Amino acid sequence: MQRRSFLGAGAVGILTDCAGGAIDAQSRPVIILVHGAWHGAWCWERVTPLLGRAGYRSVAVSLPGMGERKSELSLSINLDSHIDTVVEAALAPGQPAALVGHSYAGFVITGAAARLASSGRLRSLVYLDAFVPADGEQVSDYMPADARAKLAATLAAGNPAYGAVPARFFGIEKPEDIDWAQARLTAQPAATYFQPLHLAAALPPATRRSYIACQSPRLPVFDATKARIRGTASWTYRELQTGHDAMVTAPQDLSLLIAELA
């Protein structure tokens, strides 16, 4: 596993690459793994080696202000900051890309896909127990009114941090996994929850869209999204009987599904 930094005109992304050995990875899309709220590239550590053994190159992106980049947290980091980082990561390898977005990152990969629509690089989108937002929506639309108002007040007071929830919230049950995740969770840049998503372009018809639902235990906030996707013929829908953080609790099963859907 090789760790490196990508520098570009926008944000800097800390990336983790895993390349396959016997199988020619150049003939397959690079899988861009995008973490959800309060997480970082670290959460994919159990998945990237498995994808590599299956012949896929994967890139785990660390979003600005979170995880490995927590020192960058500021009021200026918004949804566009995260979308920019994913677009940069998708264009960097010089070959087709598949975007995998977990939870909050459904907003991020949807925005990135719209920007990549004319590039010819985007092969597929995989939403892992994630939001699938429409144009004009913002993450805070999915929050209870009281929680949204409290976070808005925090942001208005000049505090950029939306503090992390306990690791158990993500369906992690083993004590050692809870401790491992809890030690790595960081604050979410609060402004990311209040910037509406603007989609400048529609996806090309050939772009494959898939959804992986984590059902045991499930997070009710995604129930309406799952019901909508299940009833849409143009989507591929799969389920995992594990918690929300499937990359931690069921990396083998998740890796197989990502390889199938990417």
Side-chain angles (χ1 to χ4, degrees):
M1 193 179 297
Q2 182 182 14
R3 201 168 185 82
R4 59 198 176 99
S5 293
F6 272 37
L7 303 180
V12 180
I14 299 175
L15 311 175
T16 303
D17 286 10
C18 281
I23 302 174
D24 180 12
Q26 293 299 318
S27 65
R28 298 181 174 187
V30 176
I31 299 175
I32 310 296
L33 302 166
V34 189
H35 63 81
W38 305 297
H39 287 58
W42 58 265
C43 71
W44 301 103
E45 286 182 7
R46 302 175 184 182
V47 170
T48 50
L50 297 173
L51 291 174
R53 290 175 202 143
Y56 285 90
R57 179 185 173 202
S58 62
V59 176
V61 179
S62 185
L63 298 174
M66 306 167 65
E68 297 80 359
R69 302 178 62 179
K70 63 183 180 181
S71 64
E72 300 173 25
L73 179 64
S74 72
L75 290 168
S76 66
I77 296 175
N78 56 23
L79 180 60
D80 276 343
S81 307
H82 289 176
I83 292 172
D84 288 344
T85 299
V86 173
V87 170
E88 180 183 359
L91 292 175
Q95 65 189 87
L99 306 184
V100 179
H102 177 237
S103 196
Y104 152 78
F107 270 82
V108 180
I109 68 168
T110 299
R115 296 190 193 177
L116 292 166
S118 62
S119 69
R121 296 281 187 86
L122 185 61
R123 181 77 58 82
S124 60
L125 294 171
V126 180
Y127 293 79
L128 173 59
D129 222 37
F131 297 111
V132 183
D135 187 41
E137 287 190 320
Q138 56 190 34
V139 184
S140 61
D141 292 341
Y142 293 85
M143 298 177 70
D146 57 342
R148 182 170 61 247
K150 184 177 180 180
L151 183 58
T154 298
L155 190 59
N159 184 352
Y162 182 13
V165 299
R168 291 180 185 273
F169 174 82
F170 303 109
I172 303 173
E173 297 178 343
K174 291 183 179 180
E176 61 271 27
D177 289 342
I178 292 172
D179 292 344
W180 180 78
Q182 192 65 56
R184 291 162 174 78
L185 293 172
T186 56
Q188 174 81 9
T192 60
Y193 272 43
F194 292 98
Q195 182 183 14
L197 179 67
H198 293 299
L199 303 178
L203 287 179
T207 304
R208 184 179 186 183
R209 293 182 296 173
S210 305
Y211 196 96
I212 301 173
C214 300
Q215 297 293 82
S216 182
R218 75 181 209 286
L219 285 183
V221 69
F222 299 110
D223 284 352
T225 297
K226 294 173 186 178
R228 172 166 55 90
I229 298 303
R230 276 197 304 266
T232 305
S234 59
W235 283 74
T236 300
Y237 179 85
R238 298 283 190 271
E239 291 186 349
L240 284 175
Q241 297 307 312
T242 192
H244 184 60
D245 268 17
M247 69 286 288
V248 176
T249 59
Q252 181 72 50
D253 291 341
L254 177 60
S255 299
L256 290 172
L257 273 182
I258 291 175
E260 171 196 343
L261 299 172

